[in-house]
């Protein structure tokens, strides 16, 4: 009888551990999903992170210039990113229809492409505005940071 108790307690311990793992994982992802769905400010947070990563390499007048440029470009970037999301949502909706309308699909893809071009234009415009006003030392620091943290190496042919 003693041997059966050890076996039963072992199975109970394993079962309890698996239950904690499954319930904990489900709870974690449910909370994560809830935060994603409730968070309408994700664009703002993403722009804030990008700005702070850029600004940490600058100081003095260079930092003030970069902050000014970011604050001027932020509304246009936010609007463009929101338009990209809306266009992609419309694209998904048009594909879900029983008989998808090709003109709606093309229109939503064109909207998405135009909005993505606006994001790109505003981002590069901000970089251009900053590059023209930054000191040579600040430009060197940013170039050094970009060189160290590039994700893809160029292939030489």
């Amino acid at each position: 009888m003693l041997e059966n108790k050890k076996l039963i307690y072992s199975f109970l311990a394993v079962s309890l551990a698996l239950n904690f793992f499954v319930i904990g994982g489900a709870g974690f992802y449910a909370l994560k999903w809830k935060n994603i769905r409730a968070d309408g400010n994700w664009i703002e947070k993403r722009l804030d992170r990008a700005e702070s990563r850029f600004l940490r390499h600058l100081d003095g007048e260079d930092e003030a210039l970069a902050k000014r440029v970011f604050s001027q470009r932020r509304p246009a970037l936010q609007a463009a990113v929101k338009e990209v999301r809306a266009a992609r949502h419309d694209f998904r909706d048009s594909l879900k229809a029983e008989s998808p309308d090709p003109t709606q699909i093309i229109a939503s893809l064109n909207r998405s492409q135009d909005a993505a071009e606006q994001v790109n234009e505003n981002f590069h415009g901000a970089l251009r505005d900053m590059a023209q006003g930054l000191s040579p030392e600040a430009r060197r620091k940013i170039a050094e940071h970009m060189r160290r943290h590039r994700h893809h190496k160029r292939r030489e042919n």
Side-chain angles (χ1 to χ4, degrees):
M1 185 76 177
L2 185 59
E3 293 173 9
N4 288 339
K5 281 186 178 181
K6 287 181 182 179
L7 185 63
I8 290 173
Y9 287 140
S10 298
F11 282 128
L12 180 62
V14 170
S15 174
L16 192 59
L18 285 173
N19 283 331
F20 279 135
F21 179 75
V22 170
I23 291 170
F28 172 77
Y29 285 108
L31 182 62
K32 191 172 185 176
W33 178 254
K34 178 185 170 198
N35 289 338
I36 288 170
R37 301 243 341 155
D39 190 14
N41 272 354
W42 71 272
I43 297 169
E44 189 73 27
K45 289 178 183 178
R46 184 99 187 235
L47 290 173
D48 286 342
R49 277 196 313 262
E51 181 179 351
S52 67
R53 272 186 258 136
F54 191 82
L55 291 176
R56 71 177 171 210
H57 301 288
L58 304 175
D59 51 341
E61 291 179 21
D62 294 323
E63 183 179 11
L65 170 73
K67 284 181 180 180
R68 188 172 56 251
V69 170
F70 275 121
S71 67
Q72 290 170 350
R73 295 285 183 159
R74 184 178 295 262
L77 279 167
Q78 287 173 326
V81 170
K82 285 180 183 178
E83 180 62 22
V84 167
R85 290 184 73 200
R88 290 181 179 172
H89 184 271
D90 290 347
F91 174 71
R92 282 190 306 270
D93 287 347
S94 64
L95 288 179
K96 288 179 185 177
E98 274 189 41
S99 57
D101 182 12
T103 57
Q104 284 181 335
I105 293 171
I106 291 170
S108 60
L109 286 173
N110 287 339
R111 262 182 64 208
S112 177
Q113 184 176 3
D114 292 342
E117 287 173 3
Q118 286 298 313
V119 170
N120 197 25
E121 182 179 316
N122 281 296
F123 177 74
H124 285 97
L127 291 178
R128 184 178 47 250
D129 293 348
M130 281 186 271
Q132 292 174 357
L134 291 176
S135 68
E137 178 65 20
R139 282 183 267 186
R140 187 194 60 73
K141 283 181 185 178
I142 291 170
E144 179 66 23
H145 173 74
M146 291 174 78
R147 186 180 63 78
R148 282 191 313 237
H149 292 95
R150 69 176 180 224
H151 297 288
H152 303 286
K153 293 183 180 181
R154 289 186 182 174
R155 290 184 174 166
E156 304 273 335
N157 289 339

